[in-house]
Amino acid sequence: MSSVAPVELPIPGGVAGRAPSLEEEYTEATTKVGRVKRNLTSKWATVAALLIALLWTIPTFGLFLSSFRPAVLIKTTGWWTIFSNPGLTLDNYRDVLFSSSVTAPQLGQYFVNSVAISIPATIFPLVLASMAAYAFAWMNWKGRDVVFVLVFALQIVPLQMALIPLLSFFSRGITIGNALIIPPTPSGTYAQLWFAHTAFALPLAIFLLYNFISQVPGEVIEAARVDGASHGQIFLRIIIPLAMPALASFAIFQFLWVWNDLLVALVFSGGSPDVAPLTQRLAELTGSRGQDWQRLTAAAFVSIIVPLIVFFSLQRYFVRGLLAGSTKG
Amino acid sequence: MRITRSKRVIIPLAGAAALALALTACTGDAPASSGGTAAAGCEDYSTYGTFTGSPTVNIYGTIVDVEADQLNQSWADFEKCTGITIKYEGSQEFETQINVRAQGGNPPDLAIFPQPGLLDSMIAGGYIKTPAKSVEDNVDANWSPDWKTYGTVDGTFYAAPLMASVKGYIWYSPAFFKDKGYTIPTTLDELTSLTAKIAADGTVKPWCAGFASGEASGWPGTDWVEDTVLRQSGSQVYDDWTTGAVKFTDPKITSAFDYVGNLLKNPAYVNAGFGDVTSVNSTTFQDAGLPILQDQCAMMHQASFYEAQWPEGTTVAPDGDVYGFLMPPAKAGGEQAVTGGGEMVGAFKTSDEITAVQTYLSSALWANNRVSIGGVISANKGLDPNNAKSPLAVDSIKILQDPNTTFRFDASDLMPAAVGSNSFWKGIVNWINGDDTQTVTTFIQSTWPQ
Amino acid sequence: MTTADLLGKLEQVVIALAAFAAVIGLLLFIIDRAPKKRKDFFQLIGFVTPAFLLLIIGLVYPAIRTAIQSLYDAKGNFIGLDNFVWAFTQPDSLVSLRNTVIWVILTPIASTAIGLAYAVFIDKSRGEKYFKALVFMPMAISFVGASIIWKFVYEYRPTSANQIGILNQLVVWLGGEPVQWLQSVPANTVFLVIVMVWIQTGFAMVVLSAAIKGVPTEIVEAAQLDGTNAFQRFLHVTLPGIQGSLVVVVTTISIATLKVFDIVRTMTAGNFDTSVLANEMYTQAFRAGEPGRGSALALILFVLVLPIVIYNVRVLRKQREIR
């Protein structure tokens, strides 16, 4: 199936800003694609692409195959000798999926926690960052360039350095004198994790979304302003629909980061398995020291499944992509 | 899994039934122990009192997985009899996380510290509460004064010891030794000559070693050096070394490095099945001893807890597949000096239920409960060695309880963190990778906090 | 986990999402009805306040705290710039400084180049979707997971034994001796960089692929009619067309590279001269009990980002002028 849609972003008719449906794009695209197709790609390009794909897949594939091999075989023979050293087992997955520990919760609970942490921790920064990005792109205010640079630079604040102050904020609240301005956030709930992930994600989110939102043709916005639309209306009715592909793309990345996070989870899950995500459990199971190959292999694939499903189901948004609008406008 | 699952259904049911019985048998706040089957065996726990409203005590530590289960099991009766719920959380990131949580104002009630150095820094930060007298009484009664000092800062007692391990075991295959006519060395020199002899016989490499352990890589090497320092130069030098009075560049320390280097940095002596000398750095300490079972190497130096690393079905006994002898003293018949490690329990908060848990964990009752589940030992004097599950554990407990044993805590755990949990490890790794003793000891010494 | 637990968790999530939607909705509603006079001001406040509040609590305050901490030693005494002096005189931290520079040069260039090439090669080809997924897959793996995968690739066994790492097996098949990849200075840093490149290429590829599709077809076709070949079209049409995206990709990957420490920590723990600033910072602050030194290293990292920031600001200015 050939893909699709070199659609130029984004001048859908009129101020109301209706994004074309995917079908429309598709039919429109296939005709064009037919003409351009394969002109850019040569035989060598295909070979190179295959080579890269192979190189990028082999390490993971080796681990995947190993995850079905018994521990002894993993440690003594290469996975590529699987035919001369046969032996497949589901033991590794059983170890990881069904805890042999009577007291530790089963993996299912951690799985639910991961989902419960990731979804809000993806949506919150997305909304807040797109609002801020809009303000940077389409509102005129003094010092916005300076502030934008500051926000941009905040990306480099190391997470590790931010953990203690943030935890302190959660557990003690903010007091001025003796007056409690903001009360402590209850631990043992997801709230701390959501807050932390959102705050840490904002600089990059604002930066990336700004790059998209600022590319929206100025005429569209101006026309809406002349018609008397407020910023709120423009944001909701024009920017959000136009930015959908970018939002979806960023959502995928943010989801992946949150899903794979261990550091934030360790600190803000409040020491309770009630809210701890999958990564925390897998780290315990496999040992952060990496000695138990057999469990590690299986654990890696258990945790990778959801991100892959998310990627495949949202992949079509990448067609338009994070920065499809960044042709010079 | 089916078995486990049905068990989990049955237990709460049984519990509910017992509770119902208890409720009908007595009313008010009389403890559940006064009636029903749950009461059996609660006499031992009467000193800890009974609590209503099921208070919870959070414990945080490094112990995970099966060992965490065993820990939970060791206080199950205590929970049942006192009404306290103990919520244990284990994390391998404990060492960093406990700092973050303490400073962030969200510490656990109790923490099980794997090393006194970390505990000291928490005490210095003012986070650790002094325990109730009942805890100190237990420690006075059950532990040697040495052990008490590890939880004491400036004369104030803060934390009670929990479990222990004996370091400096040299693992070997008794059958192989017997076969080849090798005898267990009684002095350090004999160990050297035995090494040379095994190498000369040429069938196997004398030593296996593995220092890889993630970010803590190098620590098995620090154990090697520490054991040698204690045996070569005695406990006074050892103590001065941990406080910084004796420098790493001191001949007494460098000679220990050289002794170990003679054994481990000689390509003829290492590293069976793993490669050349540098493979010591890439082999995990967990894997290091396994070639002994295949008679690929003769000896491997590691603490008593290595017993858990042998594959299922391995007999660990003086006449079994593998066993350990203690690294010998410098002179024949010299004092029995061993290094070891252990956990300390410190409290971040105070309450009656926390005190009850702390008191229980420092008691001989807990030590016996835990040790009889297997896998660990303790230096608790009230511990009956026969409760231990293996000959090696019995031996180790006897060594720890022997009043003639000079016991010293793992030196790197006592040194400042910048050295003990960083540059000493790193130095050992560089040393194995080819740096000479002079360079390495100078480097380590240069990181000692001023 | 009981059904009740599950429902409780679900409830937490649903309530949180609903509350969030309500707050944002209300905010937008209120600023829409703000007094005419200062409407623009109120709208601005409404748009930026939530994000800025979080940024201040979550990042700005910690950054300031870090800066202050870098002037103190472990015991809490003020020592001026001594921590920085330490950072620039200790051989250890100099090595990590050097390595960090190597990382931040190699990683963005390699991942962007490979990602771009791949995106061009597979553009509009059959099965593009699946090709993309293959290279994107590493993005879905955590840094620690990826490090484990690559440790497995680099695994060493002596000549006498079976190799279990594919790289050494290749060497053996070609008649060579197995190598301790991660212990051979200085190449080992490159072997670690490869892991990061492996992860980030997916990001570059996905973003650039989308950008390529955004280049107006008419222009490409026009160039084609002019008789240019594929490479010329790429150079003169595609590349300028995706310039903006390239800057974003390189910037994002550079910053991610400066921050990464899990890879080094998992694979070599910073031994064998492979440490980078982020790892050294973590080690000093959390393991060695020297938060002051850790903070100083964090600030040095911050300074390293400045060139990237300045470049982006210039790009930003240019865009403004065009508009």
Side-chain angles (χ1 to χ4, degrees), chain A residues 112-187:
Chain A
V112 171
N113 287 339
S114 270
V115 174
I117 292 166
S118 303
I119 292 175
T122 303
I123 295 175
F124 294 170
L126 207 60
V127 173
L128 298 184
S130 51
M131 286 169 70
Y134 176 80
F136 280 120
W138 297 109
M139 290 177 164
N140 280 314
W141 42 292
K142 229 189 240 167
R144 75 172 171 177
D145 283 359
V146 176
V147 177
F148 182 76
V149 169
L150 283 178
V151 170
F152 175 85
L154 278 179
Q155 280 185 63
I156 196 58
V157 175
L159 225 57
Q160 298 90 347
M161 291 301 172
L163 297 177
I164 292 172
L166 194 54
L167 184 62
S168 169
F169 162 74
F170 286 141
S171 56
R172 302 193 180 107
I174 291 179
T175 50
I176 296 178
N178 280 327
L180 197 63
I181 307 294
I182 300 176
T185 318
S187 71

Side-chain angles (χ1 to χ4, degrees), chain A:
Chain A
M1 190 191 95
S2 86
S3 83
V4 202
V7 177
E8 330 160 22
L9 225 225
I11 319 162
V15 180
R18 185 191 63 91
S21 75
L22 276 168
E23 284 81 354
E24 274 174 309
E25 277 177 35
Y26 192 77
T27 41
E28 183 191 343
T30 36
T31 49
K32 279 181 194 169
V33 166
R35 263 176 283 150
V36 187
K37 191 173 171 182
R38 293 239 166 251
N39 284 333
L40 261 175
T41 51
S42 69
K43 205 187 271 172
W44 286 111
T46 314
V47 172
L50 279 173
L51 200 70
I52 295 177
L54 199 68
L55 279 176
W56 253 248
T57 319
I58 281 181
T60 321
F61 178 75
L63 198 78
F64 180 67
L65 214 56
S66 298
S67 69
F68 293 103
R69 306 184 75 206
V72 182
L73 283 181
I74 295 179
K75 281 181 180 172
T76 53
T77 59
W79 50 264
W80 53 89
T81 64
I82 190 150
F83 292 113
S84 46
N85 297 295
L88 290 176
T89 172
L90 287 173
D91 283 1
N92 303 333
Y93 284 92
R94 204 195 51 208
D95 280 1
V96 170
L97 289 173
F98 307 105
S99 159
S100 61
S101 163
V102 192
T103 43
Q106 295 291 333
L107 211 61
Q109 174 170 345
Y110 292 97
F111 200 84
V112 171
N113 287 339
S114 270
V115 174
I117 292 166
S118 303
I119 292 175
T122 303
I123 295 175
F124 294 170
L126 207 60
V127 173
L128 298 184
S130 51
M131 286 169 70
Y134 176 80
F136 280 120
W138 297 109
M139 290 177 164
N140 280 314
W141 42 292
K142 229 189 240 167
R144 75 172 171 177
D145 283 359
V146 176
V147 177
F148 182 76
V149 169
L150 283 178
V151 170
F152 175 85
L154 278 179
Q155 280 185 63
I156 196 58
V157 175
L159 225 57
Q160 298 90 347
M161 291 301 172
L163 297 177
I164 292 172
L166 194 54
L167 184 62
S168 169
F169 162 74
F170 286 141
S171 56
R172 302 193 180 107
I174 291 179
T175 50
I176 296 178
N178 280 327
L180 197 63
I181 307 294
I182 300 176
T185 318
S187 71
T189 65
Y190 298 119
Q192 295 192 357
L193 286 156
W194 293 332
F195 188 108
H197 278 301
T198 304
F200 293 151
L202 280 176
L204 182 63
I206 292 175
F207 171 69
L208 290 179
L209 292 177
Y210 169 86
N211 272 289
F212 190 95
I213 290 176
S214 67
Q215 304 286 347
V216 172
E219 311 85 63
V220 182
I221 311 277
E222 281 313 309
R225 292 292 283 168
V226 171
D227 286 357
S230 71
H231 281 302
Q233 287 162 336
I234 296 174
F235 178 72
L236 285 177
R237 305 235 174 95
I238 300 178
I239 299 294
I240 292 287
L242 285 183
M244 229 4 144
L247 292 176
S249 307
F250 181 76
I252 292 178
F253 289 123
Q254 173 67 8
F255 183 88
L256 294 181
W257 287 318
V258 175
W259 185 271
N260 285 327
D261 159 80
L262 177 61
L263 196 60
V264 174
L266 276 173
V267 176
F268 297 108
S269 63
S272 142
D274 299 343
V275 296
L278 205 56
T279 44
Q280 211 170 331
R281 177 61 188 156
L282 293 178
E284 266 172 41
L285 264 179
T286 54
S288 53
R289 316 255 139 107
Q291 62 271 30
D292 294 328
W293 284 120
Q294 71 283 10
R295 280 184 179 181
L296 282 171
T297 54
F301 282 95
V302 170
S303 67
I304 204 182
I305 288 171
V306 170
L308 280 186
I309 292 174
V310 169
F311 174 71
F312 274 114
S313 54
L314 292 181
Q315 198 192 19
R316 61 196 182 111
Y317 287 103
F318 280 131
V319 172
R320 300 271 301 280
L322 197 50
L323 296 148
S326 58
T327 47
K328 271 188 252 165

Side-chain angles (χ1 to χ4, degrees), chain B residues 113-126:
Chain B
F113 291 94
Q115 38 172 283
L118 189 58
L119 173 69
D120 285 354
S121 74
M122 286 285 118
I123 293 172

